[in-house]
Each structure stands twice: as structure tokens, then as C-alpha cells.
Amino acid sequence: MNIIFLGPPGAGKGTHAQRLMNELEIPQISTGDMLRQAIKAETPMGLSAKAYIEKGELVPDEVVIGIVKDRLQQDDCQRGYILDGFPRTVAQAEALSTFAKIDVALNLSLPDEMIIARLSGRRVCLKCGGTYHISALGGREDCQACGETLVQRKDDSPETIQNRLSVYAAQTAPLIDFYEKKGLLKTVECLGSVDENQEAVRKALNLK
Ligand code: AMP
């Protein structure tokens, strides 16, 4: 199954995509993670993407389209994949349709005030990709999966969160209509706990 996870920043795309990846044994392809890895490795692409990400702007379409196109050609994508954070513009979605056949676009939906609360308390592990909320860490600062010290993403600062929400509304939200018109859209309201939302995601995908 080839799945797209749509939805605003903080809706839980990464969390639910990771859980689904383990269950379905297909890769989660997160353009945000790939770009952060490129920044860490100081590759030319990473260096050019850094300023966009830190301001909460989108990295240019041709850059992300190129990385996803290459990634989908790898062997582990033959049985399916979960696109997490791509496409984010109509131009990316149109490009994707020329090299991939998508089965479902899952729109994770959440009100802005919940997004802000989630993102401002988010802590991430740059080593294994684990994501936590400070309210669940009980004062701990290390990743429960690999022990690495957790950090706050630079783009989870209050002013950058606002910008990311505006960018989402202007550039990414139109994809809801795009996939609705193609008959591929399913919307999941993510208002509950992680487990409850995951169940709603599974139900939307008709998983037993
Ligand atoms: P994420 O981890 O998905 O929240 O992505 C973090 C940041 O990476 C975004 O705010 C963008 O700056 C950049 N990014 C990730 N995916 C894309 C994409 N598909 N198109 C453009 N920029 C992206």
C-alpha cells in the first residue's frame, strides 16, 4: 500500500507513520528527517535547506521532489511506503503522480491551539527519530529508545510555529482538495490520545 500522510505540523504524522511502518513492514519516508540528516552531515543540499527549515519555510520543490523520486526507487519501497511530509505543495503532488501510484492520502486533522501546544512541548531524538512530549517525559531528557539526549527542534520555537502554520494553510492545505477530487482522501480527526488516534488511522486504512 502506498500511503500519503497529510496534515499540519504537529498532527502526529511522524508518530503514526512510524507505528504503521512497524505494523505493515513498509518504510516511512519523511522528507523532514531526510533534510535534517543532510543538514547534520553538512551536504550541499543540507546546507542550502537549513535556512528554509529554521525559518519554517518550505524547501524548494525541485529539491524535495528529487530526494523522494530517488528514495522511491530503492528496493524496500517495492512493497509499499508511507510518505510523511511529502507532498507539501500542489506542484509536488503533481510531480509525485508522474512517478508513483498512491492508494490513499490520509489527512490528519487538528485545531491550531492543539498544534501549538504539541509542537512547543515536543522533544526529538536526532539519533533514532524518536518523538516525545515534555508532559510525558517526567523530567527525563534522554531518548527512551536509544538513550541519546533529546533536543527541541529549532523550528519548534513559538514564532517559527506560527510561520509553519501559515505556510501550511497557504501551500499544503490545498492538497486536501487535490486528493479529495482524485477520490483518495480520508480524514482522521486526531483529538484523542496517541493510541486512540492510531486506532482511527488503522480504521481509515481498513486494517484488521
Ligand atoms: P517536518 O519534519 O515534516 O515537519 O519538516 C520540517 C521542515 O522540513 C519543514 O518545515 C520544511 O522546511 C522542510 N520540509 C519537509 N518536507 C518538505 C516538503 N515536502 N517540501 C518542502 N519542504 C519540506
Side-chain angles (χ1 to χ4, degrees), residues 73-88:
Q73 279 161 12
Q74 291 178 18
D75 283 351
D76 63 339
C77 294
Q78 300 317 308
R79 289 183 48 245
Y81 45 80
I82 306 163
L83 287 173
D84 162 11
F86 181 93
R88 260 177 155 104

Side-chain angles (χ1 to χ4, degrees), residues 146-173:
C146 73
E148 183 84 355
T149 303
L150 299 172
V151 295
Q152 180 169 38
R153 279 171 45 172
K154 277 214 176 93
D155 59 346
D156 281 345
S157 66
E159 48 302 348
T160 312
I161 291 172
Q162 282 302 341
N163 194 32
R164 288 163 71 201
L165 288 175
S166 311
V167 167
Y168 172 79
Q171 301 193 59
T172 309

Side-chain angles (χ1 to χ4, degrees), residues 47-60 155 160 163:
L47 294 174
S48 71
K50 191 168 188 259
Y52 293 101
I53 295 185
E54 288 183 357
K55 280 188 281 186
E57 304 288 339
L58 293 185
V59 173
D155 59 346
T160 312
N163 194 32

